[in-house]
Amino acid sequence: MENYDYLIVGSGLYGSIFAREATDKGYKCLVIDKRDNVGGNIYTEKVEGINVHKYGAHIFHTNNQKVWDYITQYATFNRFTNSPVANYKGELYSLPFNMYTFNKMWGVVTPEEAAAKIEEQRKEIKGEPHNLEEQAISLVGRDIYEKLIKGYTEKQWGRDCKDLPSFIIKRLPVRLTFDNNYFNALYQGIPVGGYTKMIENILEGIEVRLNEDYLEKKHEYDAMATKVVYTGAIDAYFNYSLGNLEYRSVRFENEILDKPNFQGNAAVNYTDCETPWTRIIEHKWFEFGKDEYGNDLPKTIISREYSSEWNPGDEPYYPVNDEKNGVLYKKYRALADKEKNIIFGGRLGEYKYYDMDAVIASALHIAESELK
Ligand code: UDP
């Protein structure tokens, strides 16, 4: 029965890269995925000539030279730079927090004036910040916290900012320069032709079976391979026996509009608490509004993102890396360590708020230690 060296469960970035590395080293691999498409959440689908990020916007960015050299073997990246706009009750602000934001918020003109304003407002936090609210105020002051952080964060996480870990907000840079580039990354862009094409290139020549649910026929699949690489949710693997880890899920409401330009930017965040969606993505701007031949596209596709608590049957998107879940994850991790012949990896397998480049680094790292 054992026909494969590795059974890889999940064809997202982690699983695909592991399969590529193992295949290139002469191991026989089978990749299965319960969806009818490869790519996991980076999957893109072409509609009206536009690559739609079906499971949420993904903007590749990295400072890791090794990761960049690796991934560019499988895709050419365009020069897209992420500069989201925040819409607070019709007022528009530049993100991440930089001199344009501070000028609009306070009318300050120089970096010194901005720094003084932040300094004056952050004083209310004494000592080390204990949660996201305190961390945010100590980074940028109360005005920005109230208008640009609180509503968005509470919608996205479904939790009060006082109950969220501060590290989430540390993802956002604060700059005293006029720089709207969201990421502090040396390399950034979107794969030309979409992420699906990139994943297909990574998986070239590797056997892939779609619509296959590993957990439904676990014994059967386990008998097929010497080792398993599992990239699904770690709690699902153990049948939620210790209780379920919390995730945030996202619902997308997609619309094709018969106009060329809806919001003039790929991402607009709605940072008030009343608007029910967190952000609107207008997919064509990831590729400058052009089709693959460089022609302007007459229509546009937008996705409103609604964040919700994950319930069984939903797609998990974001692990809720707070203390309580961290403790539970450690218990699952201990169970995982006792399992033989299986590697748990990726955002769901490791219950970690990974960016794509970190997933690639992690898959390459495991591949190096695992594959001799
Ligand atoms: N965030 C915010 N306001 C914004 C955008 C982000 O307060 O307009 C906060 C929010 O807490 C969010 C975190 O910053 O969870 C990280 O945002 P990022 O855009 O990096 O999240 P992702 O792209 O992974 O959804």
Side-chain angles (χ1 to χ4, degrees), residues 347-361:
R347 204 184 244 217
L348 300 176
E350 297 174 58
Y351 195 66
K352 215 165 164 187
Y353 190 0
Y354 264 144
D355 285 334
M356 286 181 281
D357 63 331
V359 170
I360 296 171

Side-chain angles (χ1 to χ4, degrees), residues 86 95 132 148-149 152-153 156-157 168-169 171-172 182 269 271 279 318 347 353:
L95 292 174
L132 196 150
L148 304 182
I149 298 175
Y152 186 91
T153 301
Q156 164 147 17
W157 296 98
I168 294 176
I169 204 68
R171 288 169 62 85
L172 282 172
Y182 197 70
N269 295 355
T271 56
R279 58 186 169 195
Y318 297 91
R347 204 184 244 217
Y353 190 0

